[in-house]
Amino acid sequence: MNTQHALRAEADQASYDEALATSVKKLDINPVLPTRKKAAAKRNTSLLLRQWHQRLGIFAFIFMGWLGFSGILLNQSVSMGLDAIRVGSSTLMSLYGLHTTIPESGYFSAGHWLVTTTENTVLDDIALERHIPSPLGFVDINNNGEELLVVATNDKLTLLSPAGALIEELSGYMLPVGHIRGIGSLEQDGKSLLALQGEGVYVSTDGLSWQEVENHEAISWSSLAQLDENAKADVAPYAHPTVALEQVLIDLHSGRLFGSFGSTLINFVGAAAVLLSISGIWMTWRTNRMRNARQKK
């Protein structure tokens, strides 16, 4: 009888020990695994964020540096004279879609010729200091050995020396007409007269005093004529398009120089700068939070 009670007690003790061991295992395993997984997930997120923060920093560093440098140049462009410097690189002009175009026609008068390109006015293979866009005519007036070259636009007369030096510009009340329609020359009584056509026809020996004429059939009006190959060769060096250096900096700063690709790239740089700011703030906040938690322990 005692033996049976002893065996039963041993069996109950074994069952109790087994149940106790099982509960201990559950207590040891179940609470630990989620904590480790959660900590590992946080570490992976932090590591991934730091990696992307570094990559975005390298990507943005080059472009942000250029944007800052070009911004400084643009702010000082006038004082540095960048607005007056012209750039004529063929590669750069191709990005703007500009190409060299040599004029096919020009104005001729008494052995002189005048041709206008996009940016220059060329007189006898010399570019004038001041560009005269869209001329209506060009004549040579020679009286008593004094030669005067006259270029007309729709509202102004430009008087030049044979060497192309600017003598005077006449406009407004200094002219007998409000709108110039044509310019020509007239040989009369051994004199060379400048003829001007507007509301009426007027002639002058010096461009200052004018006299209206009724019969103007003898006037030789200036008109465009075809350029020969020699003249085209002389004009070619002045026919290359150029762009102000200030404008190039503006287009580089905004990315527009490279079309939609450049603008999109600059947009990405801006987005990268925003993400860098956000990720930097987040990492700083997390680092401070972890430091404070360690100090409390």
Side-chain angles (χ1 to χ4, degrees):
M1 189 68 177
N2 293 332
T3 303
Q4 291 179 352
H5 285 294
L7 292 174
R8 186 178 297 173
E10 291 178 0
D12 292 340
Q13 184 65 36
S15 299
Y16 175 77
D17 292 341
E18 184 178 354
L20 182 60
T22 302
S23 63
V24 170
K25 288 181 179 179
K26 290 180 178 180
L27 290 173
D28 290 342
I29 295 172
N30 292 340
V32 173
L33 286 177
T35 304
R36 290 180 178 176
K37 289 181 179 180
K38 189 174 181 180
K42 289 182 178 180
R43 285 196 298 270
N44 290 337
T45 302
S46 298
L47 179 60
L48 181 63
L49 186 60
R50 288 182 182 277
Q51 289 175 347
W52 277 105
H53 186 83
Q54 292 174 353
R55 293 168 184 171
L56 288 174
I58 295 173
F59 169 76
F61 170 76
I62 300 173
F63 295 98
M64 293 300 291
W66 162 248
L67 290 176
F69 178 69
S70 59
I72 294 173
L73 291 179
L74 289 174
N75 287 334
Q76 304 297 325
S77 63
V78 176
S79 60
M80 297 175 66
L82 301 182
D83 56 334
I85 299 175
R86 310 290 297 186
V87 181
S89 169
S90 58
T91 302
L92 184 61
M93 294 304 101
S94 64
L95 293 176
Y96 279 101
L98 302 176
H99 305 282
T100 301
T101 302
I102 300 176
E104 295 291 332
S105 58
Y107 295 98
F108 293 84
S109 179
H112 298 282
W113 55 265
L114 182 89
V115 179
T116 56
T117 65
T118 304
E119 300 179 11
N120 293 290
T121 300
V122 185
L123 173 66
D124 298 338
D125 73 16
I126 299 174
L128 300 180
E129 291 185 3
R130 183 176 300 182
H131 179 42
I132 305 175
S134 304
L136 299 176
F138 166 70
V139 296
D140 173 277
I141 305 299
N142 195 335
N143 289 312
N144 301 323
E146 296 183 0
E147 190 174 14
L148 181 67
L149 305 181
V150 184
V151 183
T153 58
N154 59 6
D155 61 349
K156 181 173 62 177
L157 292 180
T158 302
L159 309 183
L160 304 170
S161 71
L166 177 64
I167 297 176
E168 192 172 1
E169 291 182 337
L170 307 177
S171 61
Y173 70 91
M174 304 177 73
L175 298 176
V177 297
H179 182 78
I180 301 174
R181 298 177 182 175
I183 186 175
S185 59
L186 173 66
E187 299 296 329
Q188 187 179 66
D189 300 331
K191 293 183 179 180
S192 181
L193 303 178
L194 171 65
L196 194 64
Q197 184 181 36
E199 294 80 3
V201 177
Y202 299 82
V203 295
S204 172
T205 58
D206 54 8
L208 299 177
S209 58
W210 298 90
Q211 179 181 358
E212 187 173 9
V213 294
E214 297 294 335
N215 184 9
H216 47 79
E217 294 181 356
I219 296 176
S220 177
W221 297 106
S222 177
S223 62
L224 288 171
Q226 288 294 117
L227 295 177
D228 57 27
E229 295 303 320
N230 291 332
K232 289 182 180 180
D234 292 335
V235 173
Y238 306 103
H240 298 295
T242 61
V243 176
L245 180 57
E246 182 184 40
Q247 184 62 50
V248 176
L249 288 174
I250 292 173
D251 295 332
L252 281 172
H253 185 80
S254 64
R256 290 194 300 265
L257 183 61
F258 302 101
S260 59
F261 170 77
S263 299
T264 302
L265 181 61
I266 295 301
N267 290 338
F268 273 118
V269 173
V274 173
L275 291 175
L276 283 172
S277 300
I278 296 174
S279 60
I281 293 172
W282 188 88
M283 286 188 296
T284 301
W285 171 80
R286 180 172 173 78
T287 301
N288 292 336
R289 182 182 178 187
M290 295 175 64
R291 184 184 297 112
N292 293 334
R294 286 195 299 267
Q295 289 177 354
K296 289 181 180 180
K297 292 180 180 179

